[in-house]
Amino acid sequence: MQLSNLIEEMMQTPSPIRQIMKMASKKNIINMGLNPDEVISYGGGWVGHHSPESLRKKYMEIAGDGQKFYHAGGYSPTLGFDDARRILANFEKKLFNVNAKEENVIIGQSSTQLTYDLFITLANDNDTILLFDPTYANYPGQIKMALKNAKIIRLKVLDEEIWQYESADTLSEKFKEIYEKEKPKIVLFPSPDNPSSQIFPEEFVETISDVCYDNDSFMILDYAYKTQVFGKIPAYFSWNPEDKPHFIGVYSNSKWGRGLGRRLGWVIANVEIINAMERAQQCSILCPDSLHQMALTEYIESGLKDGSIKKYLDEVRNAYKNAAEVTVNAIEEYMDMPCLEPQGGLYTLMKVMEDGNEFVKRVLKNTGVLFIPGEGFGDSLKQAVRISYGPLVENIHVIKEGFKRVAEYLKK
Ligand SMILES: Cc1ncc(COP(=O)(O)O)c(C=O)c1O
């Protein structure tokens, strides 16, 4: 069987994260002589809290009402329902003071799909795309799929020696230098970040934005973890799409609403980009899911009115902040290894001082504790692992237990 050259090539370089998750499958765990019930995983890049009860009730109301359920079975417009777009713009206004309107919003299946469509909308096949090192592991594969011949360049943002992110000044200088040399068409990064849970400093993000604006490039900010900032909210979280025509925010309800398996994504950007995305989305998914749009619209509308959505987001944020603290404290108590202080999101990065892949395999086989090797996020994490407290947020006591077990094994 002859598959496409592209997919044949991509199958030769499988994601190291998927590989390790396969290695930690129930069957493999049993083959290793371990008890699957005793495995402690810091591997999952997802959230473990519950969706709002009032959102669940909206789904029940729709399913219980023949007329609404019928409506949910119809296609929505490619850009999404007008009232869903309006309510998402309003949500951003109320939470972050973003002055977006319905015309600035396109709703899609997820931020994964929208990011893919953005590559096609904004760049040509042979353009250059700038990613950070480390960064979200899915981007390079998505770029390759969307723009076969694109060149991916990396800006190193982590100082491996001292295990700290570089200062805003250093990052800005390094960015200007690499931009000048490579002229990327798109600069893409998350903030808060996956895998580091760092928030990029305001001056640095402003520098990127200014340089992109002056040179007709685009800056895409992946806001998967926007509602999960533990400290001060950066000023760029409030940028308005019409004031920054080259700036694009990509959003998702995966993380904050625990909607991973029933998710929606949306993009907030200037109208010209939204209209162009409409054409791309006609070809990729035709239109977003109607049922999820209806339930989310009704939930956000009532939740903004009675204040329950803000309360829910505050509670969720505090739960992850607490989980982050428990994780960092356990690493300090049991492991003699440096880690980053999470500023939001679900993760920390621990420097293990040996090949991360080998470390992860060895630890899994001997302790039943799973970390994710850092390499898939960029070369700077070859000797590091990503630790996720996301899935354990409602199971905090387990966090400490895993590190204790690993420390006992490493002492031997
Ligand atoms: C930075 C980042 N962007 C995007 C995604 C995926 O988002 P979605 O569920 O909307 O496809 C993830 C998921 O882990 C992520 O960490």
Side-chain angles (χ1 to χ4, degrees), residues 296-316:
L296 196 67
T297 306
E298 289 188 20
Y299 163 67
I300 294 181
E301 192 144 44
S302 58
L304 284 178
K305 254 186 224 140
D306 65 14
S308 60
I309 202 162
K310 193 166 176 310
K311 189 165 166 276
Y312 173 76
L313 292 173
D314 288 346
E315 280 166 12
V316 170

Side-chain angles (χ1 to χ4, degrees), residues 57-325:
K57 289 196 179 128
K58 296 294 177 197
Y59 277 96
M60 283 168 62
E61 269 170 43
I62 297 167
D65 178 324
Q67 198 49 38
K68 280 190 177 174
F69 190 70
Y70 178 75
H71 185 49
Y75 286 133
S76 92
T78 297
L79 287 166
F81 290 123
D82 290 350
D83 55 349
R85 296 168 66 207
R86 179 183 47 79
I87 207 72
L88 288 171
N90 199 19
F91 182 56
E92 275 309 296
K93 170 92 191 137
K94 290 277 158 51
L95 290 184
F96 295 104
N97 208 20
V98 176
N99 202 2
K101 303 207 170 58
E102 183 182 316
E103 316 74 275
N104 300 116
V105 179
I106 178 170
I107 304 173
Q109 183 270 339
S110 61
S111 62
T112 302
Q113 169 257 323
L114 287 161
T115 304
Y116 186 88
D117 282 7
L118 274 168
F119 292 138
I120 291 169
T121 305
L122 305 176
N124 289 314
D125 194 29
N126 54 358
D127 276 330
T128 298
I129 317 286
L130 188 146
L131 304 176
F132 295 169
D133 185 344
T135 197
Y136 179 44
N138 213 15
Y139 295 151
Q142 286 187 288
I143 294 170
K144 186 140 182 67
M145 288 281 258
L147 308 166
K148 280 183 216 47
N149 300 310
K151 179 175 173 193
I152 298 174
I153 52 166
R154 297 283 202 146
L155 176 72
K156 251 178 111 189
V157 286
L158 172 69
D159 183 331
E160 289 160 67
E161 283 300 306
I162 56 168
W163 211 246
Q164 288 288 324
Y165 267 49
E166 306 270 18
S167 70
D169 282 351
T170 308
L171 289 171
S172 301
E173 283 317 307
K174 280 171 73 171
F175 173 76
K176 282 193 237 163
E177 216 172 278
I178 196 169
Y179 187 94
E180 195 47 46
K181 195 161 150 246
E182 303 278 358
K183 298 272 185 309
K185 188 71 197 285
I186 297 175
V187 180
L188 163 65
F189 60 96
S191 186
D193 182 43
N194 175 3
S196 69
S197 279
Q198 302 300 290
I199 292 165
F200 290 98
E202 287 174 3
E203 308 86 283
F204 173 48
V205 177
E206 267 164 32
T207 302
I208 300 175
S209 166
D210 291 347
V211 172
C212 287
Y213 182 73
D214 292 343
N215 294 278
D216 208 13
S217 297
F218 296 103
M219 177 179 121
I220 307 178
L221 226 167
D222 181 340
Y223 275 138
Y225 305 94
K226 188 173 184 180
T227 65
Q228 291 175 345
V229 171
F230 302 152
K232 186 177 161 275
I233 306 281
Y236 57 84
F237 274 31
S238 308
W239 281 356
N240 300 325
E242 294 304 333
D243 299 343
K244 306 254 179 203
H246 59 289
F247 163 65
I248 296 132
V250 185
Y251 294 79
S252 167
N253 67 345
S254 276
K255 302 288 163 28
W256 65 261
R258 219 271 175 181
L260 308 137
R262 50 170 177 266
R263 68 209 200 273
L264 284 176
W266 55 100
V267 159
I268 299 187
N270 94 45
V271 174
E272 201 180 327
I273 293 175
I274 298 299
N275 291 342
M277 286 286 288
E278 180 182 20
R279 186 68 189 94
Q281 190 157 274
Q282 276 160 4
C283 302
S284 60
I285 60 164
L286 195 59
C287 64
D289 183 288
S290 297
L291 175 64
H292 298 326
Q293 285 186 80
M294 287 165 67
L296 196 67
T297 306
E298 289 188 20
Y299 163 67
I300 294 181
E301 192 144 44
S302 58
L304 284 178
K305 254 186 224 140
D306 65 14
S308 60
I309 202 162
K310 193 166 176 310
K311 189 165 166 276
Y312 173 76
L313 292 173
D314 288 346
E315 280 166 12
V316 170
R317 184 182 315 107
N318 284 335
Y320 287 99
K321 187 167 184 261
N322 181 40
E325 277 164 18

